[in-house]
Amino acid sequence: MKKKLLAVIPTFMLVTTPLTMGVLPNHAVVKADSQKIATKAETRPTLRLGSHSSYVRILQQSLTDVKYNTGIDGIFGPKTQSIVKQFQADHNLSSDGIVGSATWAALDQNKVERQQFTVDDAIALGQKKLGTNIVFGGDGRLLKDSKKQSYYRFKAANKDWIDEGGTGTIGWYHIYKDGRVVEDLP
C-alpha cells in the first residue's frame, strides 16, 4: 500500500502543479494580449486604395464590427479609404488612409476594449454621474483621446425636457471606463 501511495503522490503533484503555476496575474494577461495583437497586426499586409483581396474583406468586417460601417466587398475603394481615415483620426493615428500594422493593431485593440467596456457600461456610468433622468445617444464608436484613453462620445438629453416638447439636449459628453464624464466643449 505504501509503495502505491508513494507512486500516486508524485503523479498527482505533476498533474496539479502546472495548473497552479500556469496562472498569470492580470497585468501579465493584458501584456500577453497586447503582444498577440501587435504580432497579429504585423503579419497582415499593408492595404491601400486599389487593394482587393480577402484581407480587404477582413478589414471591412473589422471596421464594421467597431461601428465604422462600410460595405464588405473585398475592394479597397474611396468609401473604405474614407472610413479608414476616420478611424485613424478617431484613434490618434496618422490619417493617411493606408492600413499598416499600427491601424491593424488599433482595430484589434478596439475590439478587445469594446468587450471590456461596452456602450451599456458607459451609459450606466453617465447616468450615475448625471442622473437617471438623462438619456444618451451616439454612434457606438469607442474612441481614443490624445492620451490614448478610450471613451464613448454621447449626446445627453433630459427626459423631462423632451416630454415638454423640446430637444432635451444638455450637451455632448465623453464617458471613460474609469467613470469620468467629461463635457465635450466646442
Side-chain angles (χ1 to χ4, degrees):
M1 177 69 175
K2 284 184 182 181
K3 287 182 181 179
K4 283 185 182 179
L5 190 56
L6 291 175
V8 169
I9 290 174
T11 304
F12 177 75
M13 293 302 291
L14 283 173
V15 170
T16 59
T17 302
L19 296 176
T20 59
M21 291 178 63
V23 176
L24 295 173
N26 284 340
H27 61 80
V29 172
V30 170
K31 187 175 181 180
D33 285 345
S34 295
Q35 288 172 340
K36 286 179 191 174
I37 287 171
T39 302
K40 184 178 177 184
E42 291 170 1
T43 62
R44 289 182 262 181
T46 299
L47 302 173
R48 58 180 42 94
L49 187 63
S51 297
H52 55 283
S53 68
S54 61
Y55 282 103
V56 175
R57 291 180 90 73
I58 292 167
L59 167 67
Q60 291 168 331
Q61 183 63 59
S62 294
L63 287 164
T64 300
D65 290 346
V66 296
K67 305 298 182 189
Y68 290 80
N69 297 320
T70 180
I72 301 171
D73 60 6
I75 300 169
F76 198 121
K79 181 178 180 184
T80 300
Q81 182 185 44
S82 175
I83 290 172
V84 166
K85 285 181 179 182
Q86 182 64 52
F87 177 85
Q88 290 170 327
D90 288 347
H91 292 82
N92 292 304
L93 299 168
S94 172
S95 56
D96 56 8
I98 298 171
V99 180
S101 60
T103 302
W104 281 116
L107 276 165
D108 294 339
Q109 187 65 37
N110 192 282
K111 283 184 188 178
V112 170
E113 289 176 353
R114 289 176 63 77
Q115 293 170 351
Q116 296 169 349
F117 179 45
T118 66
V119 170
D120 291 340
D121 295 338
I123 289 171
L125 289 170
Q127 288 179 330
K128 183 177 179 182
K129 187 81 165 190
L130 299 176
T132 56
N133 201 35
I134 304 299
V135 292
F136 294 92
D139 59 16
R141 294 178 179 178
L142 185 61
L143 310 170
K144 293 264 186 191
D145 66 14
S146 60
K147 295 178 183 174
K148 302 288 185 188
Q149 298 293 311
S150 298
Y151 67 92
Y152 289 99
R153 183 173 184 260
F154 291 108
K155 177 181 170 184
N158 184 304
K159 289 179 191 174
D160 292 335
W161 297 355
I162 294 170
D163 291 343
E164 293 173 7
T167 65
T169 302
I170 61 171
W172 286 85
Y173 292 87
H174 296 179
I175 302 178
Y176 293 83
K177 186 177 185 175
D178 63 10
R180 286 180 295 143
V181 178
V182 180
E183 189 170 6
D184 184 8
L185 301 172

